Amino acid sequence: MEWSGPGWVARAVRRQSGAAVRAVRRVWTEPGRERDLAVQAVKAALAACLAWGVAGWWLQAPVAFVAPWVAVVLVESTVYRSLAHGLQQLAAIAAGTVAATLVALVLDNTMAAMAVVLPAVLLLTRWQRLGSQGIYAATAALFVLTSGQVTFVTSGARVAEAVFGAVVGITVNAVIRPPVYLRDTRAALQDASEEAQEILSAVAEGLARGEWDEHVAGVWHERALRLGRLVEQARSAVGWSRESMRGNHRGRGPRAVSPPGRTYDDALAVLDHVAVHLQGVTRTVREIAGHHDEAIRPGPRITGPYADVLHHAGRAIGLYGRTRFAETGTEPSAQEALRGTAGELRRSLDELHRTLPNAVQADPGTLATHGALLAHARRLTAQLVPDGHG
């Protein structure tokens, strides 16, 4: 494939254009991240228009641009974040405006005022209480110093318009389809459970075939490590969902959207443990595959039952995802299948327990390797089939 020249550029442009067209189509045809982003963009534009319409067109305020500027940036990803960032931003703007006004009136020289004010307000941007909004202290100071004659009246109007813009932005975000990320949370948890199932199935099939390829085993281990990162993304998504419901009217009323509950916390705990134990399984398999002593590699009497354990564990985690994160409720058939798979997983682990002592040689290295595999299988099963279930 040629990676330079007009042909490659044309193909890249076509790919990007096709992706953009598909994203636009998804906005109109199905709920999802693309539609959420489009709604937030329209809301931000609406907030800016409302703020300018009142401050600039109706009231003809002296520095009316401040109102839409603040309004547009405060249509945040969650209502809670809009409110929190709004308070921080207003504090930063007020601090920068007051500091620049006082110094400019005392020194009566723009360059000298900049030299004095900017270092101070830039240090203020690092203040933890202002968070990510601290930079607005510096921009507010620059607006004061570079916008003509400095007066208390103009600076007061600037702060007042910032307050008005913040009220408009926060209100628009809170009233008009406030964002909820429960769908993203379900998707993140389902992605993690599906990836865990695919890895377990791949390892089970490889062991059943007696496949001890070091490269393939390394790929399995890399996927297991990435599974841990998927679980962390799911944990972050749960946090976003809970934050998005704070101050959100969609959490009230007959059609209320419920924030993630204990089920999601339990699912995160299960997936986290599955990821850890799966990393242990794949690491041990990779070490065995990289060892040139055939005596250490388990034979079919062990790999067969072990593959059964992993196969049933993969099916159990897949069904677990279907029963926990379905948007329209849990399918009774999936619940029944999960109970049946849990029983098969427990029985396959018992079979492995019976088989292993007679199949393992007395060599210390072999005992350690096979013992590690058994320990990981037991821990994995314990997470998916708690005592008293299955």
Side-chain angles (χ1 to χ4, degrees):
M1 179 181 291
E2 188 176 341
W3 294 96
S4 60
W8 179 81
V9 173
R11 287 193 295 272
V13 170
R14 283 196 297 271
R15 283 197 299 271
Q16 294 298 324
S17 301
V21 170
R22 289 191 294 273
V24 172
R25 186 182 299 119
R26 285 194 292 271
V27 169
W28 294 104
T29 58
E30 61 186 40
R33 179 170 176 77
E34 291 83 1
R35 180 177 293 180
D36 293 339
L37 291 174
V39 169
Q40 289 299 101
V42 171
K43 286 165 57 177
L46 174 62
C49 291
L50 289 174
W52 174 257
V54 174
W57 177 69
W58 184 31
L59 298 178
Q60 296 184 356
V63 279
F65 74 92
V66 175
W69 169 53
V70 173
V72 75
V73 298
L74 286 183
V75 180
E76 291 266 11
S77 50
T78 68
V79 175
Y80 171 79
R81 195 155 296 205
S82 286
L83 183 58
H85 284 180
L87 294 174
Q88 291 174 328
Q89 189 178 130
L90 289 176
I93 289 173
T97 300
V98 170
T101 301
L102 292 175
V103 174
L105 291 175
V106 169
L107 298 181
D108 196 26
N109 183 284
T110 300
M111 290 298 295
M114 280 189 181
V116 173
V117 172
L118 289 182
V121 294
L122 286 171
L123 286 175
L124 186 63
T125 64
R126 304 295 181 181
W127 190 27
Q128 187 176 4
R129 288 188 179 275
L130 293 181
S132 62
Q133 307 303 302
I135 191 61
Y136 288 100
T139 57
L142 281 173
F143 284 147
V144 170
L145 296 174
T146 60
S147 299
Q149 187 178 5
V150 179
T151 66
F152 283 118
V153 173
T154 303
S155 295
R158 194 183 305 273
V159 174
E161 286 152 22
V163 172
F164 175 69
V167 170
V168 172
I170 293 169
T171 302
V172 167
N173 200 32
V175 173
I176 302 176
R177 198 178 182 271
V180 175
Y181 295 95
L182 189 59
R183 186 192 313 110
D184 293 344
T185 301
R186 290 194 189 102
L189 289 166
Q190 284 178 323
D191 287 346
S193 62
E194 288 170 4
E195 177 66 4
Q197 179 182 13
E198 290 178 9
I199 298 170
L200 285 163
S201 298
V203 178
E205 291 171 7
L207 294 183
R209 293 194 303 265
E211 187 175 275
W212 294 105
D213 183 278
E214 187 175 2
H215 172 72
V216 173
V219 171
W220 293 338
H221 186 57
E222 286 297 320
R223 289 185 67 183
L225 294 175
R226 286 197 296 271
L227 175 62
R229 293 192 285 273
L230 285 178
V231 175
E232 286 305 310
Q233 291 173 11
R235 180 172 286 107
S236 176
V238 171
W240 272 96
S241 289
R242 286 183 172 143
E243 182 181 302
S244 72
M245 295 307 299
R246 298 175 70 176
N248 194 328
H249 69 77
R250 294 172 72 180
R252 298 183 294 273
R255 301 181 63 183
V257 178
S258 300
R262 180 63 183 270
T263 299
Y264 286 79
D265 292 330
D266 293 344
L268 281 173
V270 169
L271 289 170
D272 197 25
H273 282 91
V274 167
V276 170
H277 300 321
L278 191 48
Q279 289 168 20
V281 170
T282 54
R283 183 183 300 109
T284 303
V285 171
R286 186 187 61 177
E287 291 171 354
I288 295 173
H291 209 289
H292 299 294
D293 187 354
E294 293 291 334
I296 291 181
R297 294 183 177 178
R301 291 182 63 188
I302 296 176
T303 56
Y306 201 85
D308 288 341
V309 171
L310 297 185
H311 173 74
H312 293 311
R315 179 165 167 75
I317 193 66
L319 290 168
Y320 180 86
R322 284 177 57 191
T323 58
R324 294 299 186 274
F325 318 130
E327 293 194 35
T328 56
T330 300
E331 305 172 26
S333 58
Q335 287 279 23
E336 288 294 328
L338 178 58
R339 282 192 286 271
T341 300
E344 292 172 359
L345 175 56
R346 177 63 71 186
R347 286 189 290 274
S348 62
L349 181 64
D350 292 340
E351 177 64 22
L352 182 62
H353 270 283
R354 288 192 295 271
T355 303
L356 197 60
N358 298 325
V360 173
Q361 302 175 9
D363 178 69
T366 305
L367 287 172
T369 300
H370 292 48
L373 287 173
L374 179 60
H376 290 307
R378 290 177 59 185
R379 291 166 183 158
L380 191 60
T381 303
Q383 290 302 317
L384 298 174
V385 188
D387 290 340
H389 293 76

